[in-house]
Amino acid sequence: MIPKGRLVTLINQAVKWQQHECLYHNSSADTSLSLFADHACDKTLFPTNVIKILKGHTDEVWHISYSHDGKYLASLSKDKTGIIWNMEVKLMVHFIIFSL
């Protein structure tokens, strides 16, 4: 027996997978996703302008990750530091030094 709502779940997963696999996906471009064609954002719509340079690391940044709500950004650098940024005001909120 197939659980109730399973088809809707599978369709939602397929749409999210297309979005995840899109190299230039830009949520603000408001592109529509469909099961009838593979999704691919136009790379010319991908943001390329620098809005703000976040200064704090003294060496190259190796990894960044946004919080689920997009309000914070975590960055890790070769200089063994980690910084949590508030992206609403574009300021550093936490500075962490890692020692090995």
Side-chain angles (χ1 to χ4, degrees):
M1 181 71 70
I2 298 174
K4 190 175 184 177
R6 182 68 178 146
L7 181 60
V8 173
T9 301
L10 291 172
I11 291 171
N12 288 334
Q13 287 175 348
V15 169
K16 286 182 181 181
W17 178 254
Q18 282 192 40
Q19 185 178 10
H20 177 266
E21 291 298 303
C22 179
L23 181 61
Y24 298 105
H25 191 72
N26 182 1
S27 298
S28 64
D30 195 31
T31 57
S32 60
L33 297 169
S34 169
L35 295 177
F36 296 110
D38 289 335
H39 171 75
C41 287
D42 184 357
K43 84 177 192 180
T44 61
L45 298 176
F46 192 76
T48 57
N49 298 335
V50 175
I51 334 174
K52 175 78 175 170
I53 296 175
L54 303 172
K55 296 182 181 181
H57 294 292
T58 59
D59 209 335
E60 61 189 59
V61 174
W62 285 354
H63 184 77
I64 62 169
S65 183
Y66 277 95
S67 63
H68 294 291
D69 60 7
K71 291 181 182 178
Y72 298 97
L73 175 76
S75 59
L76 300 171
S77 172
K78 184 179 178 181
D79 64 8
K80 299 179 184 171
T81 61
I83 301 176
I84 308 293
W85 307 89
N86 181 322
M87 295 311 292
E88 292 176 337
V89 293
K90 314 263 187 311
L91 293 174
M92 182 187 317
V93 292
H94 294 289
F95 184 82
I96 305 158
I97 299 174
F98 299 100
S99 60
L100 296 175

